[in-house]
Amino acid sequence: MKLSELIQSIKAGEQNDVLSGLYGAEALEDQKERYISVIQKTIDLFGDQEGNVYSAPGRTEVGGNHTDHQLGRVLAASINLDTIAAVIKTDDNKVRLASRGFNIKPVDLSDLSINAAEKNTTESLIRGVAAGLAERGYQTGGFMAYSESDVIAGGGMSSSAAFEVLLGTILSYLYNDGKVSAEEIAKVGQYAENVYFMKASGLMDQMASSVGSFVAIDFYEKENPVIEKVSFNPDEYNLDFILTDVRASHADLSDEYSAIPTEMKGVAKLLGHDVLSRCTLADLMGHVAEIRESLGDRAFLRAYHFLKETQRAKEEAVALREKDINRFLEIVKESGQSSWMYLQNICPPGAKKEQPVAVGLMLSDAVLEGQGAFRVHGGGFAGTIQAFVPKEKTQAYIAAMESAFGTGACYILKIRSIGGTKVM
């Protein structure tokens, strides 16, 4: 179908079911306008040719704060904010991708070698995803596309992972009949980010985006993580699932983020292992003095956080399966407290005047008054606060948070049941 025909199909309501399934009936009209706009921009850039539209969702981390890089457990979900692209297949092996807010050079996939000059660029992710698929025996090839995203960059929802999953999904459908599994696409996305983009990361972000829905993931076996979908809809428990962007800059925080896995791995090494998931709490407690002397108190506290947090992620999934919402919320609160006290990813060291994540947590505590649950979301130090808010408190909660962080800082999220996909 030509792209112009896709636009007419959307206008005629023929895509209503698929769009409502992804975003909810209440968002249908806005999404129809969004899809039409993206398709029209693709036509304007590349002409009216046969094409399709693809989507990959952002993700939210619910349990397992900073556990994936130690091959621990997490509880995560794909959300109703996503990256979409209208795509035209080509036969020249080049990827020409335009995206709102980015100036992306064409990438020739006949050369899949690592290019140091592309470090930290979109081009490196395109080349890296193609290389990862090729190494796994899949076909790759060229396409032209225009994409837009409403996943908040720097908001802990993993806009980069959504983009990587989008690329993998496009190449899966264009050149492999859609047969690349969600798990493989996630691993290829992480490979592109680690090796080509040259940024260390765990696999949680890509896996949650690619698989979709609420998922419990155990990364103990690195190459074969155990993934189990968990049925959970906050609406069924009279809860709104709210992320608040505290609108703090991530600039100059790279060292703080990288210090967390570095310190955790240092403790694991002292205990005779590569990562902390191979260690036990008894191992840690039996070497308190040695760890403190060799690696410092913060490394010891962060290791303690991991060993308790990876167990909490498991217990959260159990609570949800048993529909014990009170126990689930209790564990979420425990996770948030551990992140603040032991993981220490709330305020950058030395921050005095500006502590926005801490302010967001305090306001959550004040408004919720023991109901629901709240915690830092994602990497910490900046980014977002996550809260499960009783619906009768939602208006007051949003008012309090936006009084501190500005209008539009809060997002009421919905869990998306489908990961990376060809939409139409």
Side-chain angles (χ1 to χ4, degrees), residues 303-341:
Y304 177 78
H305 164 82
F306 169 84
L307 290 169
K308 299 289 282 187
E309 183 73 356
T310 191
Q311 182 62 27
R312 274 190 289 267
K314 180 180 180 179
E315 292 173 358
E316 284 175 328
V318 171
L320 290 179
R321 291 190 187 99
E322 295 178 351
K323 300 189 181 302
D324 188 347
I325 191 64
N326 291 329
R327 177 59 182 150
F328 168 74
L329 295 174
E330 180 181 320
I331 302 171
V332 172
K333 293 175 188 177
E334 291 174 3
S335 173
Q337 291 166 354
S338 181
S339 290
W340 198 330
M341 289 190 294

Side-chain angles (χ1 to χ4, degrees), residues 2 6 14 16 24 30-31 48 128 149 151 172 176 193 211 214 267-268 286 294 321 324 335 353 390 394 405:
K2 283 192 172 183
L6 271 181
E14 295 170 358
N16 285 3
D30 287 342
Q31 290 299 331
D48 185 14
S149 179
V151 182
S172 174
N176 299 279
E193 187 161 325
V211 172
F214 231 86
V267 175
S294 299
R321 291 190 187 99
D324 188 347
S335 173
K353 184 178 180 181
T394 293
F405 305 116

Side-chain angles (χ1 to χ4, degrees), residues 371-424:
Q371 296 181 271
F374 62 93
R375 48 160 285 188
V376 65
H377 179 248
F381 301 114
T384 51
I385 299 297
Q386 178 190 93
F388 292 92
V389 180
K391 289 182 179 292
E392 60 271 18
K393 284 184 173 283
T394 293
Q395 188 173 351
Y397 183 83
I398 291 176
M401 299 301 269
E402 294 193 343
S403 72
F405 305 116
T407 302
C410 292
Y411 296 80
I412 300 178
L413 300 180
K414 302 294 183 184
I415 305 303
R416 170 166 150 167
S417 62
I418 301 170
T421 187
K422 180 168 75 172
V423 181
M424 58 184 72

Side-chain angles (χ1 to χ4, degrees), residues 11-235:
K11 289 180 176 179
E14 295 170 358
Q15 306 296 334
N16 285 3
D17 287 347
V18 66
L19 292 176
S20 295
L22 286 176
Y23 306 101
E26 68 279 4
L28 175 60
E29 293 306 316
D30 287 342
Q31 290 299 331
K32 288 171 70 171
E33 289 184 15
R34 179 183 179 222
Y35 271 69
I36 289 170
S37 174
V38 166
I39 296 169
Q40 186 58 57
K41 289 174 182 175
T42 309
I43 293 171
D44 294 343
L45 286 168
F46 303 114
D48 185 14
Q49 304 182 52
E50 288 192 4
N52 298 97
V53 185
Y54 299 82
S55 162
R59 71 98 179 108
T60 181
E61 167 206 294
V62 178
N65 195 209
H66 279 281
T67 55
D68 62 329
H69 49 69
Q70 299 301 297
L71 303 185
R73 302 182 189 92
V74 302
L75 185 66
S78 59
I79 57 176
N80 58 330
L81 301 177
D82 65 344
T83 302
I84 64 173
V87 180
I88 300 165
K89 185 178 181 180
T90 63
D91 58 7
D92 60 2
N93 217 31
K94 292 181 180 179
V95 174
R96 298 174 181 84
L97 177 64
S99 183
R100 183 177 58 189
F102 294 89
N103 182 19
I104 305 168
K105 299 176 183 177
V107 177
D108 189 342
L109 299 185
S110 60
D111 177 10
L112 295 179
S113 60
I114 299 167
N115 185 345
E118 290 180 343
K119 178 181 179 180
N120 296 334
T121 66
T122 304
E123 291 85 352
S124 71
L125 292 177
I126 296 170
R127 200 181 307 276
V129 168
L133 287 170
E135 288 182 11
R136 291 172 176 270
Y138 292 107
Q139 299 299 310
T140 66
F143 62 86
M144 303 185 295
Y146 174 78
S147 75
E148 288 188 2
S149 179
D150 57 11
V151 182
I152 309 168
M157 302 178 203
S158 296
S159 55
S160 60
F163 181 70
E164 293 152 15
V165 169
L166 181 72
L167 291 171
T169 302
I170 290 169
L171 291 172
S172 174
Y173 278 96
L174 289 184
Y175 293 99
N176 299 279
D177 299 320
K179 293 180 180 178
V180 187
S181 72
E183 291 80 5
E184 285 183 294
I185 288 173
K187 291 175 183 177
V188 165
Q190 184 201 23
Y191 170 78
E193 187 161 325
N194 291 172
V195 178
Y196 282 72
F197 194 81
M198 303 181 194
K199 175 187 174 184
S201 71
L203 185 57
M204 175 183 65
D205 297 348
Q206 293 85 356
M207 196 66 76
S209 174
S210 189
V211 172
S213 191
F214 231 86
V215 288
I217 310 173
D218 186 342
F219 291 107
Y220 191 88
E221 297 295 339
K222 185 176 181 180
E223 296 304 317
N224 295 289
V226 178
I227 305 164
E228 297 179 317
K229 290 196 174 186
V230 181
S231 177
F232 177 52
N233 180 356
D235 287 333

